Amino acid sequence: MSKQSVVVIGAGVIGLTVANQLQEDGKYAVTIVAEHVPDSLPAGTRESSGWASPWAGAHWRAWSANWDHWLQDMELQTYHSMNEIADRVPESGIKKAQGLDYFEALPDGETPWYVSKVNDVRELPTSELPMGIIYGLEYSTVLINVPQYLAYLKNKFTGMGGIIEQRALDHIEEALLFDATSRNEPNGKTPIVVNCAALGNRMLGGVCDASMRPVRGQTLIVNAPDAKHTLTRIGSQFGYVIPRGDGTVVLGGSAEAGSWDEEEDMKTTQQILQRTQALEPSLLPSSMLELDESERVRALRANIVSVGVGFRPMREGGVRLETQEYVDSVSSKPFTVVHCYGHAGYGYQSSLGYARKVHQMIESV
C-alpha cells in the first residue's frame, strides 16, 4: 500500500518535531520544505536570525497560565516525553537538571499549576528567597542544548528516510511540488501539507496571517562550567540562566514585541549581565564573589562567547491549530492543510504535545 505524502513547511522545532512524529508512524512519506535548515554549528557561529529556534534558551518551564488547560496539556506531554528522551538518548542534547523559578508576584494570587505535576517539587521557604521574590519553586526539569537538539531531530528524520528541501516558498500551494510519493507514483494521493512556517506566515501566499508578530529576544552565551541548574526570575526584573550541559550557559532575556532589529542592543546586554550575575553566583568562580557588582559584571562580560538575536513567532489569539481546505490553482485538485504555528516563546516546551495533536488531526483527514 502506498504511503500518504505529507509536506511540512518549516524546519524549526515545531516543524522538525511534527515531521519526526509522522515519519516514525510508517504510514507517511514526509518531506520538509524550509528556507532555514538547522546545522550543527559551534557556539558563537551566527545563523540566520530570520527564525526563532536556533536562538532559544531552552529549557522546560511552564508558560501556560493556571486557566489555560489546553496549553498545560501540550506542555505536560512534552515534559514527560523530554524526560524519557533524556534517559534514552543522551546524544539528543536534552539533559535532566534542577530548575528554580522565582516569582516577584503570583498571577491571580495562586501558586503555579505545575507545582503538582512535575517531579521532585520543593516550595522554597522564605529564608531561601532572593530579595524582591515572594514565591520560589524548585523541581526536576530538562535542559535543551538547542543546536544539538535541532541537529538530533534533523538527523533522526533523515535517518528514517525523511527528505529535507531547503527552499523558500512564495505560496502555500508550492509545497505540492515537493510531494515525495508523486515522484514515483504520479497518480498517487494528493499530499497533506502541514504549515509550521511560524513568522513566515505573515507573507506566505494563501495564508498572509496579519495576526503574526515578532517578539525580539536577545540572549548571551557565556562560558560558565560551574552553573548546573536553570533559574528563571518572573516579573519586572525578568531574567534566566540556562546551562547547555557543555560548559556554556544561555543568559537572557528580553521580549520586545514588534521589533525586527537584528543587531545587539548594548543596553540589553548590560541589563542581562547585571540581572543574571545577581540571580546565579555560580556563573563566576567563587574567588570572584567578593568583588563589587560592577567588577562581577565586567568579569562575566569577559566570558561572553556570542550574542544572539531571534524573533519569537507570536500570534494574536494564540497558536493556530486547524485544518483548511485549498484548491491547487494549477491542477484544480483539492488539498488539505493542517496549520500549526504561532507558538511565541513556548515552542520547545510544548513541541511534542503539538506534534501528537497534528498527527491525530492528519489521521482523521
Side-chain angles (χ1 to χ4, degrees), residues 21 24 60 75-97 119 140-144 149 152 156 352 356:
Q21 176 85 17
E24 197 166 23
W60 190 96
E75 291 184 322
L76 199 55
Q77 287 187 49
T78 304
Y79 174 81
H80 291 305
S81 295
M82 285 190 167
N83 271 277
E84 293 174 4
I85 294 172
D87 288 335
R88 293 186 293 103
V89 194
E91 67 273 19
S92 66
I94 297 179
K95 295 185 177 182
K96 292 182 177 180
N119 300 328
S140 178
T141 187
V142 291
L143 308 174
I144 306 163
Y149 184 56
Y152 160 74
K156 180 184 176 186
L352 287 149
R356 291 194 186 102

Side-chain angles (χ1 to χ4, degrees), residues 51-323:
W51 58 329
S53 287
W55 304 110
H59 60 166
W60 190 96
R61 186 189 71 79
W63 181 287
S64 51
N66 283 0
W67 52 264
D68 192 346
H69 301 297
W70 169 268
L71 183 53
Q72 289 175 19
D73 182 41
M74 297 297 100
E75 291 184 322
L76 199 55
Q77 287 187 49
T78 304
Y79 174 81
H80 291 305
S81 295
M82 285 190 167
N83 271 277
E84 293 174 4
I85 294 172
D87 288 335
R88 293 186 293 103
V89 194
E91 67 273 19
S92 66
I94 297 179
K95 295 185 177 182
K96 292 182 177 180
Q98 285 302 106
L100 283 168
D101 292 349
Y102 293 132
F103 292 81
E104 295 176 11
L106 288 174
D108 302 319
E110 299 178 350
T111 56
W113 66 270
Y114 55 95
V115 67
S116 62
K117 303 294 184 181
V118 293
N119 300 328
D120 305 320
V121 172
R122 184 174 72 95
E123 293 180 293
L124 301 182
T126 304
S127 60
E128 295 183 30
L129 299 180
M131 184 177 299
I133 299 300
I134 68 164
Y135 179 81
L137 191 67
E138 183 180 40
Y139 57 99
S140 178
T141 187
V142 291
L143 308 174
I144 306 163
N145 183 319
V146 165
Q148 190 175 345
Y149 184 56
L150 292 176
Y152 160 74
L153 290 175
K154 175 187 172 185
N155 294 335
K156 180 184 176 186
F157 174 68
T158 56
M160 293 187 293
I163 297 169
I164 298 178
E165 299 280 0
Q166 189 163 6
R167 188 81 61 88
L169 303 182
D170 294 321
H171 196 284
I172 197 166
E173 69 180 30
E174 293 175 14
L176 302 179
L177 300 173
F178 300 91
D179 175 4
T181 58
S182 67
R183 295 167 183 165
N184 301 316
E185 303 176 39
N187 297 317
K189 302 174 184 177
T190 303
I192 297 169
V193 176
V194 183
N195 175 17
C196 303
L199 281 172
N201 284 298
R202 296 173 64 256
M203 304 298 292
L204 182 63
V207 182
C208 294
D209 191 338
S211 64
M212 290 299 297
R213 298 281 188 276
V215 178
R216 181 185 181 276
Q218 181 169 313
T219 58
L220 314 177
I221 297 178
V222 300
N223 280 317
D226 292 336
K228 303 300 182 185
H229 50 244
T230 178
L231 300 94
T232 306
R233 177 169 176 146
I234 300 99
S236 62
Q237 299 296 308
F238 174 68
Y240 55 79
V241 175
I242 306 175
R244 281 186 161 175
D246 60 1
T248 63
V249 179
V250 181
L251 307 181
S254 66
E256 302 156 56
S259 173
W260 285 104
D261 186 0
E262 297 184 9
E263 298 303 316
E264 175 188 2
D265 181 88
M266 298 303 295
K267 183 178 178 181
T268 300
T269 295
Q270 179 71 7
Q271 185 180 76
I272 291 171
L273 291 170
Q274 289 173 332
R275 290 180 179 178
T276 55
Q277 65 82 27
L279 192 61
E280 177 52 284
S282 69
L283 290 171
L284 293 170
S286 58
S287 59
M288 293 185 174
L289 297 183
E290 299 303 317
L291 300 176
D292 64 29
E293 180 185 356
S294 62
E295 291 174 319
R296 291 197 304 272
V297 169
R298 191 178 305 115
L300 187 55
R301 181 185 292 275
N303 292 336
I304 293 176
V305 176
S306 65
V307 179
V309 175
F311 304 97
R312 303 175 184 95
M314 190 274 287
R315 183 173 182 272
E316 294 176 12
V319 172
R320 185 182 183 187
L321 183 67
E322 62 181 354
T323 58

Side-chain angles (χ1 to χ4, degrees), residues 5-46:
S5 176
V6 177
V7 181
V8 176
I9 305 174
V13 68
I14 299 296
L16 284 167
T17 306
V18 167
N20 271 279
Q21 176 85 17
L22 296 172
Q23 188 71 19
E24 197 166 23
D25 180 285
K27 297 195 296 287
Y28 304 101
V30 185
T31 300
I32 295 174
V33 182
E35 179 178 3
H36 305 292
V37 176
D39 287 305
S40 183
L41 299 175
T45 303
R46 184 169 179 81

